[in-house]
Amino acid sequence: MTDRIPFGRLALEFVVIVVGVLVALGFDQWMTTIDHRRLVNETLYALAAEIAENTVTLDRRMAYHDRILPGLVENQRAAEAGEHLRISISGALPEGLGLTPLRSTAWELASVTEAVRHFDLPILSTLSLTYALQESLHEYDRIVSAGIIQPQFFAATDQPGPIIYLGVMLTDVREREDELRRFYAETLRHVRQQLGDPEAGAVMEVR
């Protein structure tokens, strides 16, 4: 009976089955890797576009603050020295404080879809720090805004306290904007290097 069992054919079939399974697993892993790479690239392009748009928004915001800060600082120094105020608050803030929010939709979507799990560690660290700094600026904006929307603030705008507060807070906001602007530039450079596309996220500013 032993002579009738086709061990050679069985061994060959076994090898064929094993090779088939390994090929199928390898193909599946290859397709999964391609899907992950596509997800990473699409997410990085979305992040590059968001950071580039935020850079334009931040530049406008910074330019406005550069226009109004000299008057606020002058008022602040006058108030601290007990001198008569040279510029009214209403005249110094033609468009309010201009604390324009910055978008984080692409970053939130990247976290929800778990695309960030497939990022390289350096790019993940850079993006995390950038968006953490952006959120810190938003939080500071809320603190500043909450301070000046109080009725007693406007009722006391001719008094030293509110003038000094406004000058100090907006000066601090401006310093935080500078720091975030540097992070934007560095992060966008890293993302473009990762994509191999120096124009990724480029935006045309509409005036």
Side-chain angles (χ1 to χ4, degrees), residues 58 62 129-130 133-134 136-137 172-186:
L58 185 62
M62 291 166 63
L129 286 171
T130 299
L133 187 60
Q134 178 176 301
S136 175
L137 178 60
D172 199 8
V173 166
R174 188 62 186 78
E175 291 173 356
R176 291 166 184 257
E177 289 171 342
D178 273 334
E179 185 180 13
L180 181 58
R181 182 64 174 80
R182 290 192 295 272
F183 268 79
Y184 276 166
E186 188 66 12

PDB file of all heavy atoms in Angstrom, residues 58 62 129-130 133-134 136-137 172-186:
ATOM      1  N   LEU A  58      -2.094  84.311   8.368  1.00  0.00           N
ATOM      2  CA  LEU A  58      -1.258  84.810   9.457  1.00  0.00           C
ATOM      3  C   LEU A  58      -0.478  86.046   9.022  1.00  0.00           C
ATOM      4  O   LEU A  58      -0.328  86.999   9.808  1.00  0.00           O
ATOM      5  CB  LEU A  58      -0.297  83.717   9.920  1.00  0.00           C
ATOM      6  CG  LEU A  58       0.567  84.040  11.146  1.00  0.00           C
ATOM      7  CD1 LEU A  58      -0.297  84.295  12.370  1.00  0.00           C
ATOM      8  CD2 LEU A  58       1.544  82.893  11.429  1.00  0.00           C
ATOM      9  N   MET A  62      -0.649  89.530  10.916  1.00  0.00           N
ATOM     10  CA  MET A  62       0.548  90.156  11.450  1.00  0.00           C
ATOM     11  C   MET A  62       0.734  91.563  10.903  1.00  0.00           C
ATOM     12  O   MET A  62       1.144  92.477  11.637  1.00  0.00           O
ATOM     13  CB  MET A  62       1.766  89.281  11.124  1.00  0.00           C
ATOM     14  CG  MET A  62       1.804  87.967  11.880  1.00  0.00           C
ATOM     15  SD  MET A  62       2.998  86.754  11.205  1.00  0.00           S
ATOM     16  CE  MET A  62       4.538  87.614  11.466  1.00  0.00           C
ATOM     17  N   LEU A 129       4.081  69.640  16.683  1.00  0.00           N
ATOM     18  CA  LEU A 129       4.535  70.867  17.337  1.00  0.00           C
ATOM     19  C   LEU A 129       3.898  72.094  16.704  1.00  0.00           C
ATOM     20  O   LEU A 129       3.494  73.032  17.403  1.00  0.00           O
ATOM     21  CB  LEU A 129       6.057  70.967  17.255  1.00  0.00           C
ATOM     22  CG  LEU A 129       6.845  70.036  18.179  1.00  0.00           C
ATOM     23  CD1 LEU A 129       8.333  70.073  17.830  1.00  0.00           C
ATOM     24  CD2 LEU A 129       6.633  70.425  19.637  1.00  0.00           C
ATOM     25  N   THR A 130       3.784  72.086  15.381  1.00  0.00           N
ATOM     26  CA  THR A 130       3.214  73.239  14.677  1.00  0.00           C
ATOM     27  C   THR A 130       1.759  73.451  15.066  1.00  0.00           C
ATOM     28  O   THR A 130       1.345  74.571  15.395  1.00  0.00           O
ATOM     29  CB  THR A 130       3.332  73.048  13.159  1.00  0.00           C
ATOM     30  OG1 THR A 130       4.713  72.934  12.802  1.00  0.00           O
ATOM     31  CG2 THR A 130       2.720  74.231  12.408  1.00  0.00           C
ATOM     32  N   LEU A 133       1.344  74.598  18.644  1.00  0.00           N
ATOM     33  CA  LEU A 133       1.641  76.020  18.770  1.00  0.00           C
ATOM     34  C   LEU A 133       0.488  76.858  18.223  1.00  0.00           C
ATOM     35  O   LEU A 133       0.134  77.903  18.792  1.00  0.00           O
ATOM     36  CB  LEU A 133       2.934  76.349  18.021  1.00  0.00           C
ATOM     37  CG  LEU A 133       3.478  77.765  18.183  1.00  0.00           C
ATOM     38  CD1 LEU A 133       3.794  78.056  19.650  1.00  0.00           C
ATOM     39  CD2 LEU A 133       4.736  77.962  17.339  1.00  0.00           C
ATOM     40  N   GLN A 134      -0.124  76.400  17.136  1.00  0.00           N
ATOM     41  CA  GLN A 134      -1.277  77.114  16.575  1.00  0.00           C
ATOM     42  C   GLN A 134      -2.440  77.127  17.569  1.00  0.00           C
ATOM     43  O   GLN A 134      -3.090  78.156  17.760  1.00  0.00           O
ATOM     44  CB  GLN A 134      -1.714  76.436  15.276  1.00  0.00           C
ATOM     45  CG  GLN A 134      -2.930  77.071  14.625  1.00  0.00           C
ATOM     46  CD  GLN A 134      -3.262  76.428  13.295  1.00  0.00           C
ATOM     47  OE1 GLN A 134      -2.431  76.419  12.385  1.00  0.00           O
ATOM     48  NE2 GLN A 134      -4.450  75.872  13.167  1.00  0.00           N
ATOM     49  N   SER A 136      -2.154  76.879  20.757  1.00  0.00           N
ATOM     50  CA  SER A 136      -1.747  77.753  21.861  1.00  0.00           C
ATOM     51  C   SER A 136      -2.054  79.217  21.535  1.00  0.00           C
ATOM     52  O   SER A 136      -2.517  79.973  22.394  1.00  0.00           O
ATOM     53  CB  SER A 136      -0.251  77.574  22.139  1.00  0.00           C
ATOM     54  OG  SER A 136       0.202  78.487  23.115  1.00  0.00           O
ATOM     55  N   LEU A 137      -1.810  79.600  20.267  1.00  0.00           N
ATOM     56  CA  LEU A 137      -2.132  80.971  19.847  1.00  0.00           C
ATOM     57  C   LEU A 137      -3.631  81.200  19.893  1.00  0.00           C
ATOM     58  O   LEU A 137      -4.098  82.260  20.335  1.00  0.00           O
ATOM     59  CB  LEU A 137      -1.594  81.231  18.439  1.00  0.00           C
ATOM     60  CG  LEU A 137      -1.895  82.613  17.851  1.00  0.00           C
ATOM     61  CD1 LEU A 137      -1.288  83.721  18.716  1.00  0.00           C
ATOM     62  CD2 LEU A 137      -1.379  82.713  16.420  1.00  0.00           C
ATOM     63  N   ASP A 172       2.339  90.576  23.139  1.00  0.00           N
ATOM     64  CA  ASP A 172       2.596  89.153  23.357  1.00  0.00           C
ATOM     65  C   ASP A 172       2.009  88.316  22.215  1.00  0.00           C
ATOM     66  O   ASP A 172       2.635  87.356  21.753  1.00  0.00           O
ATOM     67  CB  ASP A 172       1.986  88.721  24.694  1.00  0.00           C
ATOM     68  CG  ASP A 172       2.600  87.422  25.209  1.00  0.00           C
ATOM     69  OD1 ASP A 172       3.582  86.965  24.609  1.00  0.00           O
ATOM     70  OD2 ASP A 172       2.100  86.879  26.202  1.00  0.00           O
ATOM     71  N   VAL A 173       0.817  88.679  21.759  1.00  0.00           N
ATOM     72  CA  VAL A 173       0.210  87.985  20.623  1.00  0.00           C
ATOM     73  C   VAL A 173       1.131  88.075  19.412  1.00  0.00           C
ATOM     74  O   VAL A 173       1.364  87.087  18.703  1.00  0.00           O
ATOM     75  CB  VAL A 173      -1.169  88.590  20.283  1.00  0.00           C
ATOM     76  CG1 VAL A 173      -1.646  88.126  18.908  1.00  0.00           C
ATOM     77  CG2 VAL A 173      -2.202  88.203  21.332  1.00  0.00           C
ATOM     78  N   ARG A 174       1.675  89.253  19.190  1.00  0.00           N
ATOM     79  CA  ARG A 174       2.530  89.470  18.018  1.00  0.00           C
ATOM     80  C   ARG A 174       3.796  88.608  18.078  1.00  0.00           C
ATOM     81  O   ARG A 174       4.255  88.080  17.053  1.00  0.00           O
ATOM     82  CB  ARG A 174       2.891  90.960  17.928  1.00  0.00           C
ATOM     83  CG  ARG A 174       3.619  91.358  16.670  1.00  0.00           C
ATOM     84  CD  ARG A 174       2.778  91.112  15.425  1.00  0.00           C
ATOM     85  NE  ARG A 174       3.545  91.378  14.224  1.00  0.00           N
ATOM     86  CZ  ARG A 174       4.438  90.542  13.719  1.00  0.00           C
ATOM     87  NH1 ARG A 174       4.661  89.373  14.316  1.00  0.00           N
ATOM     88  NH2 ARG A 174       5.106  90.844  12.622  1.00  0.00           N
ATOM     89  N   GLU A 175       4.360  88.442  19.269  1.00  0.00           N
ATOM     90  CA  GLU A 175       5.541  87.585  19.427  1.00  0.00           C
ATOM     91  C   GLU A 175       5.197  86.122  19.143  1.00  0.00           C
ATOM     92  O   GLU A 175       5.975  85.390  18.513  1.00  0.00           O
ATOM     93  CB  GLU A 175       6.108  87.734  20.839  1.00  0.00           C
ATOM     94  CG  GLU A 175       6.727  89.106  21.100  1.00  0.00           C
ATOM     95  CD  GLU A 175       7.133  89.289  22.541  1.00  0.00           C
ATOM     96  OE1 GLU A 175       6.860  88.369  23.361  1.00  0.00           O
ATOM     97  OE2 GLU A 175       7.716  90.343  22.878  1.00  0.00           O
ATOM     98  N   ARG A 176       4.029  85.695  19.595  1.00  0.00           N
ATOM     99  CA  ARG A 176       3.583  84.321  19.343  1.00  0.00           C
ATOM    100  C   ARG A 176       3.332  84.099  17.852  1.00  0.00           C
ATOM    101  O   ARG A 176       3.577  83.007  17.330  1.00  0.00           O
ATOM    102  CB  ARG A 176       2.324  84.028  20.152  1.00  0.00           C
ATOM    103  CG  ARG A 176       2.562  83.962  21.657  1.00  0.00           C
ATOM    104  CD  ARG A 176       1.258  84.019  22.441  1.00  0.00           C
ATOM    105  NE  ARG A 176       1.508  84.058  23.871  1.00  0.00           N
ATOM    106  CZ  ARG A 176       1.372  83.016  24.695  1.00  0.00           C
ATOM    107  NH1 ARG A 176       0.991  81.842  24.219  1.00  0.00           N
ATOM    108  NH2 ARG A 176       1.610  83.131  25.982  1.00  0.00           N
ATOM    109  N   GLU A 177       2.829  85.108  17.175  1.00  0.00           N
ATOM    110  CA  GLU A 177       2.610  85.012  15.728  1.00  0.00           C
ATOM    111  C   GLU A 177       3.935  84.823  14.990  1.00  0.00           C
ATOM    112  O   GLU A 177       4.020  84.027  14.047  1.00  0.00           O
ATOM    113  CB  GLU A 177       1.899  86.265  15.221  1.00  0.00           C
ATOM    114  CG  GLU A 177       0.447  86.364  15.651  1.00  0.00           C
ATOM    115  CD  GLU A 177      -0.168  87.713  15.332  1.00  0.00           C
ATOM    116  OE1 GLU A 177       0.583  88.682  15.090  1.00  0.00           O
ATOM    117  OE2 GLU A 177      -1.410  87.810  15.332  1.00  0.00           O
ATOM    118  N   ASP A 178       4.946  85.555  15.401  1.00  0.00           N
ATOM    119  CA  ASP A 178       6.275  85.396  14.784  1.00  0.00           C
ATOM    120  C   ASP A 178       6.792  83.969  14.938  1.00  0.00           C
ATOM    121  O   ASP A 178       7.338  83.384  13.993  1.00  0.00           O
ATOM    122  CB  ASP A 178       7.281  86.365  15.434  1.00  0.00           C
ATOM    123  CG  ASP A 178       7.264  87.732  14.766  1.00  0.00           C
ATOM    124  OD1 ASP A 178       6.908  87.810  13.573  1.00  0.00           O
ATOM    125  OD2 ASP A 178       7.601  88.721  15.437  1.00  0.00           O
ATOM    126  N   GLU A 179       6.616  83.416  16.132  1.00  0.00           N
ATOM    127  CA  GLU A 179       7.088  82.055  16.379  1.00  0.00           C
ATOM    128  C   GLU A 179       6.331  81.052  15.508  1.00  0.00           C
ATOM    129  O   GLU A 179       6.935  80.158  14.894  1.00  0.00           O
ATOM    130  CB  GLU A 179       6.914  81.700  17.854  1.00  0.00           C
ATOM    131  CG  GLU A 179       7.491  80.337  18.214  1.00  0.00           C
ATOM    132  CD  GLU A 179       7.317  80.000  19.682  1.00  0.00           C
ATOM    133  OE1 GLU A 179       6.538  80.687  20.373  1.00  0.00           O
ATOM    134  OE2 GLU A 179       7.958  79.027  20.138  1.00  0.00           O
ATOM    135  N   LEU A 180       5.013  81.210  15.434  1.00  0.00           N
ATOM    136  CA  LEU A 180       4.211  80.304  14.619  1.00  0.00           C
ATOM    137  C   LEU A 180       4.566  80.439  13.140  1.00  0.00           C
ATOM    138  O   LEU A 180       4.615  79.441  12.413  1.00  0.00           O
ATOM    139  CB  LEU A 180       2.718  80.580  14.824  1.00  0.00           C
ATOM    140  CG  LEU A 180       1.752  79.685  14.041  1.00  0.00           C
ATOM    141  CD1 LEU A 180       1.975  78.207  14.366  1.00  0.00           C
ATOM    142  CD2 LEU A 180       0.298  80.085  14.331  1.00  0.00           C
ATOM    143  N   ARG A 181       4.841  81.647  12.690  1.00  0.00           N
ATOM    144  CA  ARG A 181       5.215  81.880  11.287  1.00  0.00           C
ATOM    145  C   ARG A 181       6.493  81.112  10.938  1.00  0.00           C
ATOM    146  O   ARG A 181       6.601  80.536   9.845  1.00  0.00           O
ATOM    147  CB  ARG A 181       5.399  83.382  11.034  1.00  0.00           C
ATOM    148  CG  ARG A 181       5.739  83.735   9.589  1.00  0.00           C
ATOM    149  CD  ARG A 181       4.616  83.370   8.666  1.00  0.00           C
ATOM    150  NE  ARG A 181       4.837  83.816   7.304  1.00  0.00           N
ATOM    151  CZ  ARG A 181       5.617  83.194   6.414  1.00  0.00           C
ATOM    152  NH1 ARG A 181       6.260  82.086   6.773  1.00  0.00           N
ATOM    153  NH2 ARG A 181       5.747  83.665   5.197  1.00  0.00           N
ATOM    154  N   ARG A 182       7.453  81.090  11.863  1.00  0.00           N
ATOM    155  CA  ARG A 182       8.688  80.333  11.638  1.00  0.00           C
ATOM    156  C   ARG A 182       8.401  78.834  11.565  1.00  0.00           C
ATOM    157  O   ARG A 182       8.969  78.114  10.732  1.00  0.00           O
ATOM    158  CB  ARG A 182       9.707  80.633  12.745  1.00  0.00           C
ATOM    159  CG  ARG A 182      10.284  82.047  12.692  1.00  0.00           C
ATOM    160  CD  ARG A 182      11.478  82.192  13.616  1.00  0.00           C
ATOM    161  NE  ARG A 182      11.124  82.046  15.011  1.00  0.00           N
ATOM    162  CZ  ARG A 182      10.733  83.034  15.792  1.00  0.00           C
ATOM    163  NH1 ARG A 182      10.630  84.262  15.290  1.00  0.00           N
ATOM    164  NH2 ARG A 182      10.424  82.823  17.061  1.00  0.00           N
ATOM    165  N   PHE A 183       7.520  78.357  12.433  1.00  0.00           N
ATOM    166  CA  PHE A 183       7.149  76.941  12.412  1.00  0.00           C
ATOM    167  C   PHE A 183       6.440  76.586  11.113  1.00  0.00           C
ATOM    168  O   PHE A 183       6.667  75.507  10.556  1.00  0.00           O
ATOM    169  CB  PHE A 183       6.250  76.613  13.614  1.00  0.00           C
ATOM    170  CG  PHE A 183       7.004  76.137  14.826  1.00  0.00           C
ATOM    171  CD1 PHE A 183       7.648  77.032  15.658  1.00  0.00           C
ATOM    172  CD2 PHE A 183       7.071  74.784  15.122  1.00  0.00           C
ATOM    173  CE1 PHE A 183       8.349  76.600  16.772  1.00  0.00           C
ATOM    174  CE2 PHE A 183       7.764  74.333  16.241  1.00  0.00           C
ATOM    175  CZ  PHE A 183       8.410  75.246  17.068  1.00  0.00           C
ATOM    176  N   TYR A 184       5.563  77.469  10.636  1.00  0.00           N
ATOM    177  CA  TYR A 184       4.875  77.225   9.368  1.00  0.00           C
ATOM    178  C   TYR A 184       5.881  77.018   8.239  1.00  0.00           C
ATOM    179  O   TYR A 184       5.770  76.071   7.448  1.00  0.00           O
ATOM    180  CB  TYR A 184       3.963  78.396   9.021  1.00  0.00           C
ATOM    181  CG  TYR A 184       2.600  78.368   9.663  1.00  0.00           C
ATOM    182  CD1 TYR A 184       1.788  79.506   9.656  1.00  0.00           C
ATOM    183  CD2 TYR A 184       2.094  77.226  10.263  1.00  0.00           C
ATOM    184  CE1 TYR A 184       0.524  79.502  10.229  1.00  0.00           C
ATOM    185  CE2 TYR A 184       0.840  77.215  10.850  1.00  0.00           C
ATOM    186  CZ  TYR A 184       0.057  78.355  10.831  1.00  0.00           C
ATOM    187  OH  TYR A 184      -1.194  78.343  11.396  1.00  0.00           O
ATOM    188  N   ALA A 185       6.842  77.913   8.152  1.00  0.00           N
ATOM    189  CA  ALA A 185       7.823  77.849   7.067  1.00  0.00           C
ATOM    190  C   ALA A 185       8.634  76.555   7.134  1.00  0.00           C
ATOM    191  O   ALA A 185       8.846  75.886   6.112  1.00  0.00           O
ATOM    192  CB  ALA A 185       8.748  79.067   7.129  1.00  0.00           C
ATOM    193  N   GLU A 186       9.068  76.189   8.335  1.00  0.00           N
ATOM    194  CA  GLU A 186       9.883  74.984   8.488  1.00  0.00           C
ATOM    195  C   GLU A 186       9.055  73.720   8.232  1.00  0.00           C
ATOM    196  O   GLU A 186       9.517  72.781   7.578  1.00  0.00           O
ATOM    197  CB  GLU A 186      10.479  74.947   9.896  1.00  0.00           C
ATOM    198  CG  GLU A 186      11.493  73.840  10.128  1.00  0.00           C
ATOM    199  CD  GLU A 186      12.757  74.003   9.305  1.00  0.00           C
ATOM    200  OE1 GLU A 186      12.972  75.074   8.710  1.00  0.00           O
ATOM    201  OE2 GLU A 186      13.537  73.021   9.240  1.00  0.00           O
TER     202      GLU A 186
END
